[in-house]
Short mmCIF file of all heavy atoms in Angstrom, two decimals:
data_model
loop_
_atom_site.label_atom_id
_atom_site.label_comp_id
_atom_site.label_asym_id
_atom_site.label_seq_id
_atom_site.Cartn_x
_atom_site.Cartn_y
_atom_site.Cartn_z
N PRO P 1 89.61 57.45 139.60
CA PRO P 1 90.63 56.57 139.02
C PRO P 1 91.69 56.14 140.01
O PRO P 1 92.28 55.06 139.87
CB PRO P 1 91.24 57.44 137.90
CG PRO P 1 90.18 58.45 137.59
CD PRO P 1 89.48 58.71 138.88
N ALA P 2 91.96 56.94 141.04
CA ALA P 2 92.97 56.58 142.03
C ALA P 2 92.58 55.33 142.80
O ALA P 2 93.45 54.63 143.34
CB ALA P 2 93.20 57.74 142.99
N ASN P 3 91.27 55.03 142.85
CA ASN P 3 90.85 53.84 143.58
C ASN P 3 91.39 52.56 142.96
O ASN P 3 91.57 51.56 143.65
CB ASN P 3 89.31 53.77 143.64
CG ASN P 3 88.74 54.79 144.60
OD1 ASN P 3 89.43 55.26 145.51
ND2 ASN P 3 87.48 55.15 144.41
N TYR P 4 91.62 52.58 141.64
CA TYR P 4 92.17 51.39 140.99
C TYR P 4 93.56 51.07 141.53
O TYR P 4 93.97 49.91 141.58
CB TYR P 4 92.24 51.58 139.48
CG TYR P 4 90.89 51.54 138.81
CD1 TYR P 4 90.33 52.69 138.25
CD2 TYR P 4 90.16 50.36 138.75
CE1 TYR P 4 89.09 52.65 137.63
CE2 TYR P 4 88.92 50.32 138.14
CZ TYR P 4 88.39 51.47 137.58
OH TYR P 4 87.16 51.44 136.98
N LEU P 5 94.29 52.11 141.93
CA LEU P 5 95.64 51.91 142.43
C LEU P 5 95.68 51.71 143.94
O LEU P 5 96.43 50.88 144.45
CB LEU P 5 96.52 53.11 142.05
CG LEU P 5 96.80 53.31 140.56
CD1 LEU P 5 97.53 54.63 140.34
CD2 LEU P 5 97.61 52.16 139.99
N PHE P 6 94.85 52.49 144.67
CA PHE P 6 94.99 52.53 146.12
C PHE P 6 93.83 51.88 146.87
O PHE P 6 93.98 51.53 148.04
CB PHE P 6 95.15 53.98 146.57
CG PHE P 6 96.29 54.69 145.90
CD1 PHE P 6 96.07 55.72 145.00
CD2 PHE P 6 97.60 54.30 146.14
CE1 PHE P 6 97.12 56.36 144.37
CE2 PHE P 6 98.66 54.93 145.52
CZ PHE P 6 98.43 55.96 144.63
N LYS P 7 92.66 51.73 146.23
CA LYS P 7 91.51 51.08 146.87
C LYS P 7 90.85 50.13 145.88
O LYS P 7 89.69 50.31 145.49
CB LYS P 7 90.50 52.12 147.35
CG LYS P 7 90.99 53.02 148.47
CD LYS P 7 89.89 53.98 148.90
CE LYS P 7 90.35 54.89 150.02
NZ LYS P 7 89.27 55.84 150.43
N PRO P 8 91.57 49.10 145.42
CA PRO P 8 91.00 48.21 144.39
C PRO P 8 89.77 47.46 144.86
O PRO P 8 88.99 46.98 144.03
CB PRO P 8 92.17 47.25 144.10
CG PRO P 8 93.03 47.30 145.31
CD PRO P 8 92.92 48.70 145.84
N GLU P 9 89.59 47.35 146.17
CA GLU P 9 88.41 46.63 146.68
C GLU P 9 87.16 47.50 146.69
O GLU P 9 86.05 47.01 146.93
CB GLU P 9 88.70 46.11 148.10
CG GLU P 9 88.71 47.17 149.19
CD GLU P 9 89.95 48.05 149.17
OE1 GLU P 9 90.91 47.73 148.45
OE2 GLU P 9 89.96 49.08 149.88
N HIS P 10 87.31 48.80 146.40
CA HIS P 10 86.18 49.72 146.44
C HIS P 10 85.21 49.41 145.31
O HIS P 10 85.62 49.24 144.16
CB HIS P 10 86.68 51.16 146.32
CG HIS P 10 85.60 52.19 146.46
ND1 HIS P 10 84.88 52.37 147.62
CD2 HIS P 10 85.12 53.10 145.58
CE1 HIS P 10 84.01 53.35 147.45
NE2 HIS P 10 84.14 53.81 146.21
N ARG P 11 83.93 49.33 145.61
CA ARG P 11 82.91 49.02 144.61
C ARG P 11 81.90 50.15 144.54
O ARG P 11 81.41 50.64 145.57
CB ARG P 11 82.19 47.71 144.94
CG ARG P 11 83.11 46.51 145.10
CD ARG P 11 83.63 46.03 143.75
NE ARG P 11 84.50 44.87 143.90
CZ ARG P 11 85.81 44.92 144.00
NH1 ARG P 11 86.42 46.09 143.96
NH2 ARG P 11 86.53 43.83 144.14
N VAL P 12 81.55 50.55 143.33
CA VAL P 12 80.51 51.55 143.11
C VAL P 12 79.50 50.95 142.15
O VAL P 12 79.78 50.80 140.97
CB VAL P 12 81.09 52.86 142.53
CG1 VAL P 12 79.97 53.88 142.32
CG2 VAL P 12 82.15 53.43 143.45
N LEU P 13 78.34 50.54 142.66
CA LEU P 13 77.33 49.87 141.85
C LEU P 13 76.23 50.85 141.48
O LEU P 13 75.69 51.56 142.33
CB LEU P 13 76.74 48.68 142.59
CG LEU P 13 77.73 47.58 142.99
CD1 LEU P 13 77.00 46.47 143.75
CD2 LEU P 13 78.43 47.02 141.77
N GLY P 14 75.88 50.86 140.21
CA GLY P 14 74.82 51.72 139.72
C GLY P 14 73.46 51.04 139.79
O GLY P 14 73.30 49.98 140.40
N PRO P 15 72.46 51.63 139.15
CA PRO P 15 71.11 51.06 139.16
C PRO P 15 71.07 49.71 138.44
O PRO P 15 71.90 49.42 137.58
CB PRO P 15 70.27 52.11 138.42
CG PRO P 15 71.26 52.85 137.58
CD PRO P 15 72.54 52.87 138.35
N GLU P 16 70.10 48.89 138.81
CA GLU P 16 69.98 47.56 138.21
C GLU P 16 69.66 47.67 136.71
O GLU P 16 68.85 48.50 136.29
CB GLU P 16 68.89 46.75 138.90
CG GLU P 16 68.82 45.31 138.41
CD GLU P 16 67.83 44.47 139.20
OE1 GLU P 16 66.92 45.07 139.82
OE2 GLU P 16 67.95 43.24 139.20
N LEU P 17 70.33 46.83 135.94
CA LEU P 17 70.11 46.77 134.50
C LEU P 17 69.22 45.57 134.16
O LEU P 17 69.06 44.64 134.99
CB LEU P 17 71.45 46.66 133.77
CG LEU P 17 72.35 47.90 133.84
CD1 LEU P 17 73.65 47.65 133.09
CD2 LEU P 17 71.65 49.13 133.28
N PRO P 18 68.64 45.52 132.96
CA PRO P 18 67.70 44.45 132.59
C PRO P 18 68.40 43.14 132.24
O PRO P 18 68.25 42.59 131.15
CB PRO P 18 66.95 45.04 131.40
CG PRO P 18 67.91 45.98 130.77
CD PRO P 18 68.70 46.57 131.91
N TRP P 19 69.19 42.60 133.18
CA TRP P 19 69.96 41.39 132.92
C TRP P 19 69.06 40.18 132.71
O TRP P 19 69.40 39.26 131.96
CB TRP P 19 70.95 41.13 134.05
CG TRP P 19 70.35 40.88 135.40
CD1 TRP P 19 70.03 41.81 136.34
CD2 TRP P 19 69.97 39.61 135.94
NE1 TRP P 19 69.48 41.21 137.45
CE2 TRP P 19 69.44 39.86 137.23
CE3 TRP P 19 70.04 38.29 135.48
CZ2 TRP P 19 68.97 38.84 138.05
CZ3 TRP P 19 69.58 37.27 136.30
CH2 TRP P 19 69.05 37.54 137.57
N ARG P 20 67.90 40.17 133.36
CA ARG P 20 66.97 39.03 133.19
C ARG P 20 66.47 38.97 131.75
O ARG P 20 66.32 37.88 131.18
CB ARG P 20 65.79 39.14 134.16
CG ARG P 20 66.19 39.02 135.63
CD ARG P 20 64.98 39.22 136.54
NE ARG P 20 65.35 39.18 137.95
CZ ARG P 20 65.82 40.22 138.64
NH1 ARG P 20 65.98 41.39 138.02
NH2 ARG P 20 66.13 40.12 139.92
N ASP P 21 66.22 40.13 131.16
CA ASP P 21 65.80 40.17 129.76
C ASP P 21 66.92 39.66 128.84
O ASP P 21 66.65 38.93 127.88
CB ASP P 21 65.42 41.59 129.35
CG ASP P 21 64.20 42.11 130.10
OD1 ASP P 21 63.44 41.29 130.64
OD2 ASP P 21 64.01 43.34 130.15
N LEU P 22 68.15 40.06 129.15
CA LEU P 22 69.27 39.61 128.33
C LEU P 22 69.45 38.10 128.46
O LEU P 22 69.65 37.40 127.47
CB LEU P 22 70.55 40.33 128.76
CG LEU P 22 71.79 40.01 127.93
CD1 LEU P 22 71.60 40.45 126.48
CD2 LEU P 22 73.02 40.69 128.53
N ARG P 23 69.37 37.60 129.69
CA ARG P 23 69.51 36.16 129.89
C ARG P 23 68.42 35.40 129.14
O ARG P 23 68.69 34.40 128.46
CB ARG P 23 69.44 35.82 131.38
CG ARG P 23 69.62 34.33 131.66
CD ARG P 23 69.35 33.97 133.12
NE ARG P 23 69.60 32.57 133.35
CZ ARG P 23 68.74 31.59 133.09
NH1 ARG P 23 67.55 31.89 132.53
NH2 ARG P 23 69.04 30.33 133.32
N ALA P 24 67.17 35.87 129.25
CA ALA P 24 66.06 35.20 128.57
C ALA P 24 66.27 35.18 127.06
O ALA P 24 66.00 34.17 126.39
CB ALA P 24 64.73 35.89 128.92
N ALA P 25 66.77 36.28 126.51
CA ALA P 25 67.00 36.35 125.06
C ALA P 25 68.11 35.39 124.66
O ALA P 25 68.01 34.70 123.63
CB ALA P 25 67.35 37.78 124.66
N PHE P 26 69.19 35.33 125.42
CA PHE P 26 70.28 34.39 125.12
C PHE P 26 69.77 32.95 125.13
O PHE P 26 70.05 32.17 124.22
CB PHE P 26 71.42 34.54 126.14
CG PHE P 26 72.34 35.70 125.90
CD1 PHE P 26 73.38 35.98 126.79
CD2 PHE P 26 72.20 36.54 124.81
CE1 PHE P 26 74.25 37.03 126.57
CE2 PHE P 26 73.06 37.61 124.58
CZ PHE P 26 74.09 37.85 125.47
N VAL P 27 69.05 32.61 126.18
CA VAL P 27 68.57 31.23 126.32
C VAL P 27 67.57 30.89 125.22
O VAL P 27 67.58 29.78 124.67
CB VAL P 27 67.95 31.03 127.72
CG1 VAL P 27 67.26 29.68 127.83
CG2 VAL P 27 69.03 31.15 128.80
N GLU P 28 66.70 31.85 124.89
CA GLU P 28 65.72 31.62 123.83
C GLU P 28 66.40 31.32 122.49
O GLU P 28 65.93 30.51 121.71
CB GLU P 28 64.81 32.84 123.69
CG GLU P 28 63.72 32.66 122.64
CD GLU P 28 62.82 33.88 122.53
OE1 GLU P 28 62.94 34.79 123.37
OE2 GLU P 28 62.00 33.92 121.60
#
């Protein structure tokens, strides 16, 4: 939580999520 105050540029990315499936469903 301290990164929000002192290192806001810090990024922690997790595993890829099924965004392509979500996009396809929205467009459909």
Side-chain angles (χ1 to χ4, degrees):
N3 287 337
Y4 288 111
L5 294 173
F6 305 112
K7 294 182 180 179
E9 73 286 349
H10 185 64
R11 304 286 181 266
V12 180
L13 300 179
E16 186 175 22
L17 292 179
W19 63 271
R20 295 177 183 84
D21 295 341
L22 183 63
R23 181 188 184 278
F26 280 178
V27 171
E28 182 179 351

